[in-house]
C-alpha cells in the first residue's frame, strides 16, 4: 500500500523516468542512512556470550550482505540498472 502511494507521488512529481529514478534513489539513500544511524545507535543485536557468538556466526555475514545491497540500491536505481535489487543469494 505504502509503495503505491510513493509511486503515485513519483508519477505526479516527475514525468521523466530519469527524474523518477533519481527521486527513488534519493529516498533509498535516506532509508539506508536512517538504518545505518539506528544500527550505530543500538549496536550489535547479539551478546558476547556463547549464544550471542553462535547467533553472530550464523547471521552476521548475511546482515552485512543485506546492508551492502541496501547501500548499492540508490546507485542502481539512479542508473536504471537491470536486475533485481532484492536478489536472494
Amino acid at each position: 500500500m505504502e509503495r503505491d502511494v510513493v509511486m503515485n507521488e513519483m508519477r505526479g512529481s516527475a514525468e521523466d523516468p530519469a527524474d523518477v529514478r533519481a527521486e527513488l534513489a534519493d529516498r533509498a539513500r535516506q532509508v539506508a542512512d536512517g538504518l545505518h544511524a539506528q544500527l550505530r545507535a543500538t549496536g550489535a543485536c547479539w551478546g558476547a556470550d556463547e549464544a550471542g557468538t553462535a547467533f553472530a556466526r550464523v547471521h552476521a555475514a548475511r546482515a552485512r550482505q543485506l546492508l551492502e545491497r541496501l547501500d548499492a540500491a540508490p546507485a542502481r536505481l539512479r542508473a536504471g540498472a537491470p536486475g533485481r535489487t532484492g536478489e536472494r543469494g
Side-chain angles (χ1 to χ4, degrees):
M1 175 95 168
E2 183 176 309
R3 183 182 139 267
D4 294 334
V5 171
V6 170
M7 292 307 294
N8 286 335
E9 287 176 9
M10 293 291 128
R11 286 187 197 105
S13 64
E15 293 180 24
D16 183 347
D19 291 342
V20 173
R21 288 192 310 269
E23 287 185 45
L24 289 172
D26 290 343
R27 286 184 184 221
R29 174 52 41 217
Q30 290 170 359
V31 168
D33 289 347
L35 177 60
H36 282 291
Q38 288 297 316
L39 290 172
R40 279 191 302 275
T42 50
C45 63
W46 43 83
D49 61 359
E50 185 178 335
T53 303
F55 182 90
R57 247 191 324 270
V58 172
H59 298 287
R62 298 285 287 175
R64 277 191 303 276
Q65 290 172 349
L66 175 64
L67 291 173
E68 289 168 3
R69 288 179 179 171
L70 181 63
D71 288 338
R76 292 185 69 179
L77 286 166
R78 199 173 296 281
R84 301 176 311 215
T85 56
E87 290 176 28
R88 300 185 119 195

